[in-house]
């Protein structure tokens, strides 16, 4: 096929991104939508770019060098990318290519002023907009100048910011090519940006228009604050008119300049309300065509709107699909489960199949629809109370939605909406034998699962698993188990509320729960201290572990056994994995690699324990906690006896303290049971995947993670898989990492964040939820990946969320700050067990607190001060 260097915009559509880039393709589509005007022009294709790149063989080596650079090495990227740009700009445009561009220019008018705009093939994609990554030149006049600016656009593929953006998004420089759009220049009265969904809240029903005088460049470059209009259901519902002191205008000879705006005009709106409404109507037409909310650049020319760009808004959180037009309110499951990362399709569907309530998916996360329970006054109070105890921000967000007129309809009763939040809480005896019996029941059920699954393969395995999921749910909903969990939680709440009233003491239960018995998660942290004790005396083993990242995971334990002391070390790690190897970060997603599958994950924590602790630390830590709790109990009871009616008060408190210590540790066990079952399911499914790979049905066994359980069942039955399904899901999963899941989401797409309504906090402090009493000052360690935690004694761990797999880190830190969490979530329970001051639910803590800063954590009052 002969190369074609120029296409008219009218000829281009979305199937030609590889030829004309994202911007060119979008402009071609826009120019065909009825009623949408786009300035005329043409595209210089990627064939032309490739031809230019081939003119300089030295570019090949430089691209190789570029792909090897560390994305954080800014100096090297800056130097090398500048060399590449100079080389490209220095290549003379070959005669036939220059002639093709000049011919197309003649169609626009030889001396027509033009905009010359970069259009890369990785640009304006649904998952990465690349906004602002390449260059645009306005008001370029004459063919010589236009050819020169086309060269500059080609070179702009290698600006420092574009190179870094690609590296961070895992995009190979060689796979991206640059087309260039040349359009007739328009000289607008006003210009700006239209978002067809509110870019801040995500509300799809609210459009936002930013407008200023002159060219849109003034807004994009931040030269002026725009007028901002919000439009809902075809009317302007809010507006803020800015003082627009400057504008960018085109010069008659080419180029642009900043001009001052006449003081009388500065406060005038750039658009009338009627024009704003008309513009939004055009935006809705464009949005309907592309099928998703758009970020649109517009110009107002001679009273009419011209569209100069439209790209998807990639930052919006998707909305769960319901298939109806009703209003819905969704609560994030991840915020309750301490896991706000995206999950793969198999992980989502397995959690849905084993959960106690129906769940919806969006953006790789799970949500529960609480609309019915909010609608009925009877269930609403219980739901808000349960949510408030778990995460006050969720409660506040739900109340914000309820305050809106008529978003949630009022129903006379809940109808089918499940049991009220809080579950069963009939009283049970304070008897440790209940917990022992519940743990035994769970272990018997898991052993039966392991025995039963061994012989199952093919479709029979899936039939077996569907039955196993029913047993899974039966164990989870065991009334006695629910009563034991609620008994521990309710006794904690009683102690905190009542002792604050009687003794004016906040969060007294935090000390009373130190080293509570039967807590499988805190035992897991202490058990890793025992593993460190076995390893510490053997310097050869310690040295081996310090270099362990280079050893293949599977071989790591075998290699260990060859060293002096290595057999004992291996046996200690193996024994730990036998008990806790089914755990990992993000463990509610079955597809995440477990410690048993990747034991090297534990090495950094073991090495921290070797370095920071003395032998016997686990036993000492537990005993110290137990004694502190005992001393606290005696102190509380003696102070209560000194009060009026003191004996009755002391007796009641004693009863509740016994109850907390009997049941609060069991709070962690059901999750351990779930994750233990998950690992059994996973091993069986991976063996099935291996058979599919052997049979040539799948290229690799991890591909099953991108199928739902039901789809995998079908593949195993039919031995056929839709190959087009898996790659787009891998791309989507990667894109979901950039999204922040909201605590509460409405069917309008609005992310409702909620706020702490507290005024007893020092200015500048970060507010959160107090979950473990005490105050501690120390160095903040901001850790986003447990494998990269390098903690010293006295450090304060700052992270997004902590599930049980983080608890081995808790033994070595002095305090905890997380972005997600509630009174009874795992991090809070374990922080109390270990006596660590902790504040959770601190919005954007990992961004606002820098690694290494000194901070003070107020675990009793729920705030964090940044000291340096």
């Amino acid at each position: 096929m002969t190369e074609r260097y120029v296409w008219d915009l009218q000829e281009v559509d979305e199937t030609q991104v590889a030829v004309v880039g994202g911007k060119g393709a979008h402009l071609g589509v826009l120019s065909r939508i009825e009623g949408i005007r786009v300035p005329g022009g043409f595209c210089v294709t990627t064939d032309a770019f490739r031809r230019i790149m081939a003119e300089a063989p030295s570019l090949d080596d430089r691209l190789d060098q570029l792909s090897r650079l560390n994305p954080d090495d800014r100096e090297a990227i800056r130097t090398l990318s500048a060399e590449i740009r100079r080389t490209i700009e220095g290549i003379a445009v070959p005669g036939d290519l220059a002639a093709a561009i000049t011919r197309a220019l003649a169609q626009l008018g030889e001396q027509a002023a033009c905009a010359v705009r970069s259009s890369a093939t990785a640009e304006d994609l649904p998952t990465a907009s690349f906004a602002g990554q390449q260059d645009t030149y306005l008001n370029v006049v004459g063919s010589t100048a236009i050819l020169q600016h086309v060269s500059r656009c080609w070179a702009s593929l290698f600006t420092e910011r574009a190179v870094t953006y690609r590296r961070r998004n895992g995009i190979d420089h060689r796979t991206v090519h640059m087309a260039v759009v040349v359009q007739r220049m328009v000289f607008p009265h006003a210009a700006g940006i239209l978002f067809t969904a509110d870019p801040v809240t995500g509300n799809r029903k609210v459009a936002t228009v930013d407008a200023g005088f002159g060219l849109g460049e003034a807004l994009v470059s931040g030269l002026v604050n725009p007028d901002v209009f919000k439009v809902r259901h075809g009317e302007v519902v809010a507006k803020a008119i800015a003082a627009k002191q400057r504008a960018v205008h085109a010069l008659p000879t080419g180029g642009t300049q900043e001009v001052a705006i006449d003081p009388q005009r500065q406060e005038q709106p750039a658009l009338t309300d009627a024009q704003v409404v008309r513009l939004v109507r055009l935006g809705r037409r464009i949005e309907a065509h592309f099928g998703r909310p758009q970020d649109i650049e517009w110009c107002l020319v001679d009273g009419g709107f011209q569209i100069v760009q439209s790209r998807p808004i990639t930052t919006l959180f998707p909305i769960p699909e319901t298939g109806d037009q009703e209003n819905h309110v969704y609560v994030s499951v991840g915020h309750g489960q301490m896991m706000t990362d995206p999950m793969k399709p198999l992980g989502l569907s397995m959690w849905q199949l084993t959960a106690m309530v129906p769940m919806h998916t969006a953006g790789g996360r799970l949500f529960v629809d609480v609309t019915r329970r909010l609608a009925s006054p009877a269930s609403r109070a219980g739901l808000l109370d349960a949510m408030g105890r778990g995460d006050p921000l969720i409660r506040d967000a739900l109340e914000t939605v309820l305050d809106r007129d008529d978003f949630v309809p009022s129903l006379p009763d809940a109808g089918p909406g499940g049991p009220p939040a809080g579950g069963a809480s009939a009283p049970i005896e304070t008897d440790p034998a209940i917990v022992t019996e519940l743990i035994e029941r769970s272990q018997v059920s898991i052993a039966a699962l392991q025995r039963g699954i061994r012989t199952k393969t093919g479709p029979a395995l899936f039939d077996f698993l569907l039955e196993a999921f029913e047993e899974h749910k039966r164990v989870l909903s065991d009334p006695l188990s629910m009563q034991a969990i609620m008994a521990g939680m309710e006794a904690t709440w009683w102690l905190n509320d009542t002792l604050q009233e009687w003794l004016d003491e906040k969060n007294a239960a935090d000390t009373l729960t130190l080293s509570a018995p039967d807590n499988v998660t805190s035992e897991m942290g202490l058990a890793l201290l025992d593993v460190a004790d076995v390893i510490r005396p053997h310097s050869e083993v310690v040295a081996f572990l310090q270099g362990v990242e280079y050893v293949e995971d599977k071989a790591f334990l075998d290699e260990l056994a060859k060293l002096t002391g290595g057999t004992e070390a291996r046996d200690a790690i193996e024994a730990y994995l036998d008990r806790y190897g089914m755990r990992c970060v993000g463990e509610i997603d079955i597809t995440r690699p477990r410690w048993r599958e990747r034991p090297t994950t534990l090495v950094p924590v073991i090495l921290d324990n070797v370095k920071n602790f003395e032998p016997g630390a686990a036993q000492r830590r537990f005993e110290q906690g137990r004694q502190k709790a005992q001393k606290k109990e005696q102190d509380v009871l003696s102070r209560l006896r000194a009060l009026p009616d003191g004996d009755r008060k002391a007796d009641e408190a004693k009863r509740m303290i016994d109850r907390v210590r009997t049941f609060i540790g069991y709070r962690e066990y059901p999750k351990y049971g779930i994750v233990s079952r998950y690992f059994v399911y996973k091993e069986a499914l991976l063996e099935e995947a291996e058979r599919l790979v052997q049979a040539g049905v799948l290229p690799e066994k991890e591909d099953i993670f991108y199928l739902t359980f039901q789809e995998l069942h079908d593949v195993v039955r039919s031995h056929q898989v839709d190959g087009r399904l898996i790659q787009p899901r891998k791309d989507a999963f990667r894109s979901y990492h950039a999204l922040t899941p909201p605590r509460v989401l409405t069917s309008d797409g609005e992310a409702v964040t909620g706020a702490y309504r507290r005024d007893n906090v020092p200015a500048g402090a970060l507010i959160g939820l107090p979950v473990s009493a005490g105050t501690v000052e120390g160095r903040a360690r901001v850790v986003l990946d447990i494998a990269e935690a390098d903690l010293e004694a006295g450090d304060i761990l700052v992270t997004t969320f902590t599930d049980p797999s983080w608890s081995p880190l808790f033994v070595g830190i002095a305090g905890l700050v997380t972005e997600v969490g509630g009174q009874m979530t795992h991090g809070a329970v374990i922080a109390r067990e270990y006596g660590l001051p902790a504040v959770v639910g601190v919005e954007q803590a990992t961004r606002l607190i820098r690694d290494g800063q000194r901070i003070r954590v107020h675990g009793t009052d729920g705030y964090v001060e940044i000291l340096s």
Side-chain angles (χ1 to χ4, degrees):
M1 191 185 107
T2 57
E3 270 120 2
R4 185 167 165 195
Y5 295 131
V6 172
W7 290 75
D8 190 274
L9 270 183
Q10 295 281 340
E11 301 176 88
V12 174
D13 64 29
E14 57 256 270
T15 62
Q16 288 153 305
V17 170
V19 182
V20 297
K23 185 179 294 163
H26 270 128
L27 286 168
V29 175
L30 285 166
S31 64
R32 284 200 184 75
I33 301 173
E34 197 183 329
I36 304 298
R37 289 168 59 206
V38 173
F42 59 89
C43 296
V44 182
T45 65
T46 52
D47 286 339
F49 173 76
R50 276 192 287 268
R51 167 96 181 264
I52 291 293
M53 294 296 278
E55 297 276 325
S58 68
L59 285 170
D60 243 13
D61 292 343
R62 288 187 177 144
L63 287 182
D64 281 342
Q65 281 175 267
L66 200 57
S67 60
R68 286 196 297 269
L69 291 179
N70 178 335
D72 295 324
D73 189 348
R74 306 222 3 217
E75 197 46 53
I77 288 175
R78 186 176 299 132
T79 308
L80 191 53
S81 57
E83 273 178 40
I84 293 171
R85 288 198 304 279
R86 273 199 304 278
T87 306
I88 294 171
E89 286 184 35
I91 297 167
V93 180
D96 56 336
L97 174 48
I101 295 173
T102 311
R103 272 198 305 278
L105 267 177
Q107 303 283 305
L108 296 180
E110 199 64 59
Q111 286 304 304
C114 293
V116 183
R117 314 173 70 194
S118 311
S119 178
T121 52
E123 183 180 285
D124 297 351
L125 305 178
T127 56
S129 75
F130 286 77
Q133 295 305 314
Q134 278 92 33
D135 294 347
T136 285
Y137 302 97
L138 299 177
N139 200 29
V140 182
V141 180
S143 55
T144 311
I146 283 171
L147 285 171
Q148 185 190 356
H149 285 84
V150 168
S151 284
R152 283 191 186 165
C153 282
W154 288 328
S156 77
L157 191 61
F158 297 99
T159 59
E160 183 191 342
R161 64 178 185 268
V163 166
T164 307
Y165 189 93
R166 286 196 292 273
R167 282 304 303 273
R168 292 202 191 289
N169 283 277
I171 294 165
D172 178 359
H173 302 301
R174 291 173 186 284
T175 61
V176 184
H177 299 113
M178 181 65 87
V180 181
V181 174
V182 179
Q183 280 175 287
R184 184 179 280 113
M185 185 70 192
V186 292
F187 302 100
H189 161 76
I193 299 164
L194 155 64
F195 297 97
T196 63
D198 189 318
V200 179
T201 67
N203 194 325
R204 310 304 201 263
K205 301 257 174 86
V206 175
T208 303
V209 175
D210 290 5
F213 293 122
L215 291 165
E217 211 52 27
L219 303 192
V220 177
S221 64
L223 180 66
V224 296
N225 288 330
D227 296 339
V228 181
F229 301 85
K230 301 223 178 255
V231 176
R232 189 186 175 99
H233 301 316
E235 61 176 307
V236 176
V237 290
K239 60 181 164 186
I241 306 306
K244 299 168 288 297
Q245 291 165 349
R246 308 191 73 66
V248 173
H249 283 178
L251 291 167
T253 53
T256 60
Q257 75 173 73
E258 276 179 42
V259 294
I261 293 177
D262 179 354
Q264 276 81 53
R265 266 185 81 215
Q266 289 179 6
E267 305 271 350
Q268 280 180 6
L271 296 178
T272 66
D273 284 9
Q275 285 171 326
V276 170
V277 170
R278 198 170 76 204
L279 175 60
V280 169
R281 208 173 296 133
L282 293 176
R284 292 281 177 227
R285 193 176 292 181
I286 295 169
E287 176 184 67
H289 185 91
F290 286 116
R292 53 177 1 141
Q294 297 287 303
D295 158 354
I296 297 166
E297 292 178 26
W298 56 268
C299 295
L300 178 65
V301 188
D302 301 329
F305 287 104
Q306 299 215 22
I307 304 300
V308 293
Q309 179 140 328
S310 185
R311 60 164 80 94
I313 309 175
T314 56
T315 53
L316 297 175
F317 200 86
I319 306 170
E321 285 175 26
T322 54
D324 63 34
Q325 295 301 305
E326 305 293 312
N327 286 350
H328 294 269
V329 182
Y330 302 98
V331 169
S332 161
V333 172
H335 285 80
Q337 289 296 338
M338 298 297 90
M339 166 39 192
T340 53
D341 289 350
M343 294 164 69
K344 295 189 178 113
L346 185 64
L348 292 166
S349 66
M350 292 286 277
W351 193 263
Q352 284 173 303
L353 286 165
T354 51
M356 305 308 295
V357 291
M359 291 182 180
H360 303 263
T361 65
R365 276 76 167 193
L366 291 162
F367 293 87
V368 173
D369 186 342
V370 295
T371 323
R372 292 297 299 259
R373 279 165 55 190
L374 281 179
S376 151
S379 56
R380 182 187 307 147
L383 176 74
L384 290 174
D385 186 50
M387 291 294 171
R389 291 220 183 255
D391 183 335
L393 292 177
I394 292 182
R395 177 181 182 136
D396 189 77
L398 290 174
E399 287 175 334
T400 303
V401 176
L402 284 169
D403 287 344
R404 309 252 167 90
D405 296 342
D406 303 334
F407 189 83
V408 177
S410 259
L411 296 177
D413 60 60
S425 80
I428 51 170
E429 291 301 308
T430 303
D431 179 1
I434 293 174
V435 172
T436 311
E437 183 197 335
L438 284 167
I439 290 173
E440 269 171 21
R441 278 189 204 178
S442 174
Q443 287 170 340
V444 166
S445 173
I446 290 167
L449 170 68
Q450 288 166 322
R451 277 195 311 276
I453 208 166
R454 271 186 205 128
T455 55
K456 306 290 186 291
T457 62
L461 169 66
F462 286 81
D463 297 337
F464 176 84
L465 281 171
L466 287 168
E467 282 179 36
F469 297 163
E470 292 312 306
E471 167 68 1
H472 179 127
K473 290 198 272 195
R474 191 193 65 71
V475 172
L476 263 188
S477 59
D478 177 343
L480 188 63
S481 177
M482 306 287 265
Q483 287 173 309
I485 292 168
M486 289 311 295
M489 285 172 27
E490 285 169 352
T492 306
W493 297 332
W494 187 93
L495 284 167
N496 278 337
D497 295 347
T498 311
L499 295 181
Q500 178 151 13
E501 187 190 327
W502 288 347
L503 297 175
D504 197 25
E505 183 173 342
K506 283 184 185 170
N507 301 7
D510 294 359
T511 312
L512 294 166
T513 52
L514 287 170
S515 300
D518 299 312
N519 187 322
V520 68
T521 310
S522 65
E523 285 163 9
M524 176 170 78
L526 296 174
L528 207 58
L529 288 175
D530 292 336
V531 173
D533 285 355
V534 174
I535 287 167
R536 195 178 289 105
H538 305 293
S539 56
E540 210 180 319
V541 172
V542 173
F544 169 77
L545 291 179
Q546 281 164 341
V548 88
E549 61 201 289
Y550 306 113
V551 178
E552 182 54 41
D553 255 346
K554 295 281 177 276
F556 143 68
L557 291 167
D558 300 334
E559 290 292 316
L560 194 56
K562 297 173 186 169
L563 310 170
T564 310
T567 313
E568 297 96 302
R570 183 193 61 191
D571 293 349
I573 293 172
E574 282 283 8
Y576 186 85
L577 291 172
D578 286 344
R579 178 112 210 254
Y580 305 110
M582 76 296 282
R583 308 219 86 149
C584 67
V585 172
E587 61 193 10
I588 70 168
D589 181 354
I590 197 170
T591 72
R592 289 283 191 106
R594 310 282 135 178
W595 291 344
R596 170 52 83 189
E597 296 170 296
R598 221 178 257 180
T600 48
T601 311
L602 292 169
V603 169
V605 193
I606 293 171
L607 287 170
D608 281 347
N609 288 350
V610 166
K611 177 179 68 179
N612 295 334
F613 291 92
E614 297 292 317
Q619 188 53 45
R620 270 199 311 283
R621 286 287 296 265
F622 189 78
E623 190 48 38
Q624 283 163 357
R626 208 180 58 75
Q627 286 178 10
K628 261 193 203 165
Q630 218 170 359
K631 193 160 162 280
K632 182 71 177 173
E633 178 181 331
Q634 289 161 355
D635 168 60
V636 162
L637 297 179
S638 69
R639 283 159 64 203
L640 285 174
R641 286 198 188 95
L643 298 174
D645 197 16
D647 287 348
R648 178 189 65 78
K649 287 174 177 166
D651 288 348
E652 269 188 68
K654 171 67 176 148
R655 206 167 60 246
M656 285 302 181
I657 291 168
D658 291 347
R659 210 160 166 75
V660 161
R661 292 198 68 78
T662 300
F663 292 117
I664 202 65
Y666 177 71
R667 162 82 181 80
E668 292 291 297
Y669 202 86
K671 185 78 168 272
Y672 176 78
I674 292 173
V675 177
S676 300
R677 287 173 179 281
Y678 261 31
F679 194 38
V680 179
Y681 306 153
K682 181 181 190 178
E683 289 187 304
L685 290 173
L686 281 173
E687 281 173 27
E688 203 54 48
E690 188 54 56
R691 286 188 276 275
L692 291 171
V693 171
Q694 298 299 324
V697 179
L698 285 175
E700 48 193 64
K701 60 182 186 179
E702 273 82 20
D703 283 352
I704 67 165
F705 296 161
Y706 296 94
L707 300 171
T708 65
F709 181 81
Q710 296 84 341
E711 288 165 349
L712 180 53
H713 192 173
D714 292 341
V715 170
V716 167
R717 265 201 299 254
S718 66
H719 261 220
Q720 285 179 313
V721 67
D722 181 352
R724 292 163 313 184
L725 200 60
I726 290 170
Q727 191 53 49
R729 289 198 179 164
K730 288 182 177 178
D731 295 340
F733 175 70
R734 199 177 308 121
S735 76
Y736 293 152
H737 281 277
L739 299 173
T740 302
R743 282 177 165 81
V744 171
L745 179 67
T746 73
S747 47
D748 285 352
E750 185 177 0
V752 191
T753 45
Y756 293 107
R757 315 272 171 199
R758 301 209 319 250
D759 47 15
N760 57 341
V761 169
L766 309 179
I767 302 181
L769 183 65
V771 294
S772 184
T775 301
V776 67
E777 197 175 297
R779 176 178 69 158
R781 291 318 307 254
V782 180
V783 179
L784 301 178
D785 178 351
I786 196 169
E788 287 166 16
D790 179 16
L791 298 162
E792 301 280 345
D795 282 349
I796 295 168
L797 175 63
V798 180
T799 188
T800 42
F801 59 81
T802 61
D803 58 11
S805 69
W806 286 73
S807 59
L809 290 187
F810 284 23
V811 297
I813 58 175
L816 174 70
V817 179
T818 67
E819 295 182 348
V820 175
Q823 270 291 350
M824 287 295 166
T825 47
H826 302 275
V829 172
I830 305 307
R832 290 194 288 272
E833 281 269 315
Y834 288 166
L836 300 174
V839 181
V840 301
V842 179
E843 285 281 83
Q844 300 198 339
T846 59
R847 295 195 194 102
L848 298 172
I849 298 170
R850 287 200 309 281
D851 188 54
Q853 277 185 317
R854 281 196 75 71
I855 62 173
R856 190 180 296 133
V857 177
H858 295 262
T860 310
D861 293 315
Y863 63 91
V864 180
E865 288 179 284
I866 298 174
L867 304 176
S868 68

